[in-house]
Amino acid sequence: MELVSQHVKGIMEECKVRARDAGLCFDDETLEYIVTNRDMIELSPKIMIPTLYDYWVHDVRVLSGKGMYEAYPSNPYETVINTRPAISYYNDNNPDWLNVMIFYHVLGHIDFFQNNLFYKNTWDVDLTGQALADKRLIAKLRSEKGRQVDYVIEFSRGMDNLVGYYRELNHIITRENPDNKNQYQIDKIDYYFDIFLQQRKQVSHNTYLKEVARYNSCQRTGTDFFDPVIGKYPEFEELYRQEKVLNKRPEPDVMEYIIQHSPLLKLDENKWMKTIIQIVRNTALYFQPQIRTKIMNEGWASYWHEYLFMQDDRICGHESDFAKVNASVTSMPKVGLNPYALGMRLFQHIEQMEDKGCYSFDYYCQRDEIQKQKYDASKRSGRHYIFTVRENLNDFTFINRYIDQEFLTKHHLFVSGKRLNQTRMTWEYYIKSKRAQDYKKMIIDTLYHPPEVRVDADHCVNGVLYLNHLFEEKPLKLDFIENAMMGMEYLWGGPVHLETSEPVAEGKPSANYTAFWDPSSPVPKIPEPREIQWKRVRYLMENRKLHKREL
């Protein structure tokens, strides 16, 4: 691995000038390295960070990657990591024209990293420097504690998807309030509805809705909403003041709670474990934004590499080469998901819709499809609008808000289904739906969505760590429950209880299962899907033994 030549660096600097002229915004300093495919294989398990701490799982993945490469050789074009300065890696056999396209793609990524609000927790962090310090610290601990260090790393990584990313991000944004940087800020109306009525007074649902209706009425008439509130609840102002001036940290996540309250980690001989758990937690928090913006990030980079390269005079003579490479990257599959293609086309769709003024009340009032197709308010603000989208959204809000029927119709997209052809006894795929709502749900179901597991401090008695899974109609993966809870028990130093929901078993097994494969027997009828029923259960991990009880 080595830095790119001065010739290639000059190409990159010219790309930066053109990208900034088009509106992209990023730091001046970047680092570009030339690597081989085998370098990529060795860096991939460390998330492309050479200074990340050593861990045996990385070695296993390197060996697996080498075997896969021998069987299926590939040529990764680039990889960029969100550091200060941004670091990007390029294949050692790329021609100059291809590097121009790739550089534009990388600059799109860097612009996204440094401007999207979901990356705010990474903007002031020198990840490579911090990772190097962490690596040296873990190496020192490994020389003193031996294999026990790897156990702590493994158990910590088994729960590193339970970090409170959004709560941490909200704390960072709130802390930077220009009026008072050292105080926890909450709006008065938010405190009244979210905390005072629901938590303090625990009013009925009907009373809460009446207050919402009264607030809307006050907004329309311009009257003061809080005069009756203070008359009815004279303590409200004082409680709000106490809440506002309290320098309040967000509720600790599972890893943070274990660091702060574990009886095992409070022992002097075990305090070194806290350092390792915190390293794993910080690394997980750093990469949470990238996991949650995969479609947007790749789509944004693809949008700009296509737009900027098509206007670059260095394309001359390589138009067909570019078309071939670009098509392989941004082709839209009919079955499956290509985040490059979906994200890029959705950004283009948003720009075109905003240019015509389609995100307006007048457009939504149109009921005639022909009139909607002809609608054009000549707003021409699409480019500015997509920069706002890039700044404020993540994958979920991006998909949920902007995939519409016009987008599906334009790109001939659909939701595919799978069914058994009972005549031929084969599985076949078919078009299940062309509705935007169904397609949107299919994409959202593929997004990263870790379980919301919180510590229930009220039930953490007698040395028990009690966890509550806030159920969202997605059960936990049973294969991971035992190992994750075993690791928590080790780090906690006592029993761990986990409350969650599981589907209730319904129906009976087929009494004539063999008849399914017997051509001479009648083909069994496939039962209609039933609505899933859920029940609450509790998993108990004690002395490395897992038990389950129904609640």
Side-chain angles (χ1 to χ4, degrees), residues 155-170:
F155 294 149
S156 301
R157 285 168 57 128
M159 57 178 173
D160 66 356
N161 65 330
L162 303 180
V163 291
Y165 164 69
Y166 283 115
R167 281 170 280 164
E168 194 77 21
L169 185 64
N170 180 64

Side-chain angles (χ1 to χ4, degrees), residues 12 25-26 30 80 86 106-115:
M12 177 58 155
C25 179
F26 43 82
T30 59
V80 57
V106 166
L107 291 174
H109 280 308
I110 297 174
D111 170 85
F112 194 90
F113 291 148
Q114 298 180 3
N115 293 281

Side-chain angles (χ1 to χ4, degrees), residues 32-175:
E32 294 80 35
Y33 288 92
I34 292 294
V35 294
T36 64
N37 289 357
R38 294 190 180 275
D39 290 332
M40 290 275 197
I41 292 172
E42 294 180 359
L43 284 171
S44 293
K46 292 190 173 185
I47 328 174
M48 304 307 294
I49 303 174
T51 55
L52 196 68
Y53 59 85
D54 295 317
Y55 181 51
W56 69 271
V57 171
H58 298 158
D59 299 332
V60 173
R61 290 179 180 170
V62 167
L63 293 174
S64 175
K66 287 181 179 179
M68 185 65 69
Y69 181 77
E70 294 293 338
Y72 304 100
S74 59
N75 181 17
Y77 295 120
E78 51 77 26
T79 299
V80 57
I81 57 176
N82 175 29
T83 57
R84 290 292 193 277
I87 299 176
S88 49
Y89 303 96
Y90 304 89
N91 198 274
D92 57 354
N93 55 10
N94 292 336
D96 286 349
W97 71 266
L98 183 56
N99 275 333
V100 173
M101 170 187 166
I102 295 172
F103 287 155
Y104 284 136
H105 189 91
V106 166
L107 291 174
H109 280 308
I110 297 174
D111 170 85
F112 194 90
F113 291 148
Q114 298 180 3
N115 293 281
N116 183 274
L117 287 177
F118 287 89
Y119 288 80
K120 195 173 185 65
N121 65 317
T122 72
W123 288 351
D124 300 321
V125 179
D126 176 17
L127 180 62
T128 50
Q130 184 61 51
L132 180 59
D134 295 341
K135 178 177 182 177
R136 290 170 174 169
L137 178 57
I138 288 179
K140 180 176 180 296
L141 289 173
R142 191 177 274 122
S143 67
E144 297 172 355
K145 308 296 182 181
R147 293 182 60 184
Q148 195 175 4
V149 172
D150 290 290
Y151 290 136
V152 177
I153 294 175
E154 186 156 356
F155 294 149
S156 301
R157 285 168 57 128
M159 57 178 173
D160 66 356
N161 65 330
L162 303 180
V163 291
Y165 164 69
Y166 283 115
R167 281 170 280 164
E168 194 77 21
L169 185 64
N170 180 64
H171 178 71
I172 292 171
I173 294 173
T174 306
R175 189 179 58 200

Side-chain angles (χ1 to χ4, degrees), residues 18 112 146 186 189 246 262 273 295 326 337 366 410 428 477 480 501 513 528:
R18 302 186 186 210
F112 194 90
I186 183 170
I189 195 68
L246 194 62
S262 167
M273 296 182 185
I295 295 175
N326 189 53
L337 172 63
Q366 297 287 337
K410 179 179 179 180
E428 60 185 16
K477 291 189 176 181
F480 296 98
S501 296
Y513 181 80
E528 293 294 327

Side-chain angles (χ1 to χ4, degrees), residues 326-346 348 403 407-408 410-414 439 443:
N326 189 53
S328 66
V329 174
T330 62
S331 60
M332 181 75 88
K334 297 303 179 184
V335 178
L337 172 63
N338 180 353
Y340 298 81
L342 178 62
M344 182 188 77
R345 283 169 175 77
L346 195 49
Q348 292 172 342
I403 285 187
F407 180 70
L408 259 69
K410 179 179 179 180
H411 295 288
H412 308 287
L413 300 176
F414 55 83
Y439 186 83
I443 300 298

Side-chain angles (χ1 to χ4, degrees), residues 100 114 116 132 159 204 213 237 249 291 295 300 336 344 359 428 442 459 472 486 492 522 541:
V100 173
Q114 298 180 3
N116 183 274
L132 180 59
M159 57 178 173
S204 66
E237 288 286 357
R249 287 283 303 172
I291 303 172
I295 295 175
W300 184 253
M344 182 188 77
Y359 296 126
E428 60 185 16
M442 180 188 71
H459 288 81
E472 300 174 290
M486 188 180 297
W492 178 253
M541 175 62 69

